[in-house]
Amino acid sequence: MTKRHAVVVGAGIGGLTAAVALHRRDWHVTVCERAPEPPATGAGIGLAPNALRALDTIGVDAAHAAGRAVPATMGLRRADGRWLTRADTADLTARYGVPPIAVPRPALTGALASALPPEALRYGTAVTAVDGSSGNPIVRTAVGRDLPADLVVAADGIHSPLRRAHFPAHPGLHYIGETAWRAVVDAPHLRIAAMSETWGRGQRFGVTPLSDGRLYLYATAVVPAGTRSADPRAELRRRFGSWHDPIPALLDHIDRLSPTDVLQNDLHDLAAPLPRLHHGRIAWLGDAAHAMAPNLGQGGCQAIEDAVVLAHLLPAGDGGGGSDAVPAALAAYSAARRNRTDAVRVRGRRVGRLGAIRNPLAAAARDLAVRATPARLALRGMDDLFNGFRLPR
């Protein structure tokens, strides 16, 4: 019997997780990625307990595949270095069963890609359209080859052309008012063991130890959309050079990078939830489905959840379940994922507004409120995120 065929559009974390999950359910999978080759460089990604549990259900041990870096503590600081709140990793592990880890994105995508047959991956293959989504779709590609499919997984990113094509009335993206810089540096002599984010007035600076011993750095600032400087390294020095240690020392390491090694992106989320996460035999996941601000570290984690739940609900690839099995599974996927992902999107926007406060009095009141919150209550506030992953029955 001919296997069902899934075409996954996009070889990011969500798309590759979906491909692996479907492959392990005996689907024939083709991943189309517009980039000519896998990324060799890039920033880091934090994998929270919910994402680690989701990966575990499809047999992917992220810590083994991409390396492990468990921070000693996690928390928020003021620009003068004073801690506003922090939690020991041991407490997180005791509460959630597994600690969060942080890995380089290329290491994670490489580990996922290695779990697929080599012929499943088609780099340099941009998808231009999906036709006939009410029946079995035909995927059109820029290289001139059409791919018939039983399912299309739209993992084509925050600017998703497939989302725009099939939900033309949706308002699209919303600029949340901040730009972000990201870089990875090698600074083992600094012996940084804490994952931290520092809040100033309308600016933030984050430090995350990665599994390969390097440090993933990010910074945000409230600026008009499209604001760019001639040299992002000098801009970061100007904004954060007087902040607490070890930020000045980390900026010294950023100064040694090429300007192109410092990534800058304006931050957007989806202006409103999609009416559903599927259309015909197309399913959207990750940023394409519910782009969210990175303030909770859940963008990639929710994409992983999406992918695992989608594959779990779909029939096996051997053709069982009848011709209506795929559309019914996609409706169940929308029902299972839409409310959870939108709640995370809204929560991420609200947290971002707190971090972006510029008024000195309002920022001081914010910091006081954070410091006054007992650590156990702050930890409990993460339960719905870290314990929220469930496979539907």
Side-chain angles (χ1 to χ4, degrees), residues 9 14 24 39 62 70 89 112 139 190 203 211 234 241 246 249 269 307 317 339 373:
V9 185
R24 292 182 175 173
V70 179
T89 300
L112 292 167
V139 178
L190 295 179
Q203 300 185 132
S211 57
D269 63 6
N339 288 346
T373 302

Side-chain angles (χ1 to χ4, degrees), residues 64-106:
H64 175 76
R68 175 185 294 273
V70 179
T73 59
M74 302 172 61
L76 293 173
R77 306 176 79 169
R78 301 193 318 186
D80 62 6
R82 186 172 184 178
W83 287 95
L84 298 173
T85 183
R86 57 179 159 177
D88 291 337
T89 300
D91 295 334
L92 291 167
T93 305
R95 190 172 188 90
Y96 302 114
V98 61
I101 65 172
V103 301
R105 281 180 180 265

Side-chain angles (χ1 to χ4, degrees), residues 163-327:
R163 183 184 65 226
R164 293 197 302 269
H166 293 276
F167 295 99
H170 189 272
L173 297 176
H174 159 259
Y175 178 54
I176 66 173
E178 293 179 275
T179 196
W181 298 268
R182 294 173 293 150
V184 175
V185 302
D186 192 8
H189 62 286
L190 295 179
R191 301 183 181 277
I192 296 174
M195 181 187 297
S196 66
E197 183 170 290
T198 300
W199 285 5
R201 298 198 299 271
Q203 300 185 132
R204 290 175 285 166
F205 196 101
V207 182
T208 300
L210 293 176
S211 57
D212 61 1
R214 295 181 298 165
L215 297 166
Y216 166 46
L217 311 178
Y218 63 91
T220 70
V222 176
V223 296
T227 300
R228 297 293 184 270
S229 59
D231 187 341
R233 302 167 302 177
E235 182 68 9
L236 289 170
R237 174 75 64 181
R238 182 181 73 81
R239 289 181 176 273
F240 302 101
S242 63
W243 285 28
H244 66 81
D245 290 333
I247 291 176
L250 292 169
L251 293 173
D252 289 341
H253 284 78
I254 288 179
D255 286 343
R256 300 169 194 171
L257 300 177
S258 163
T260 58
D261 289 331
V262 181
L263 307 177
Q264 183 179 358
N265 301 97
D266 290 345
L267 298 180
H268 296 82
D269 63 6
L270 215 58
L274 292 177
R276 59 193 178 279
L277 303 188
H278 74 289
H279 178 77
R281 287 175 175 255
I282 307 174
W284 281 261
L285 60 74
D287 283 344
H290 44 70
M292 56 186 66
N295 302 306
L296 297 172
Q298 281 287 312
C301 296
Q302 291 301 308
I304 289 168
E305 284 193 19
D306 288 342
V308 172
V309 170
L310 174 63
H312 171 77
L313 289 170
L314 284 162
D318 59 9
S323 60
D324 294 334
V326 171

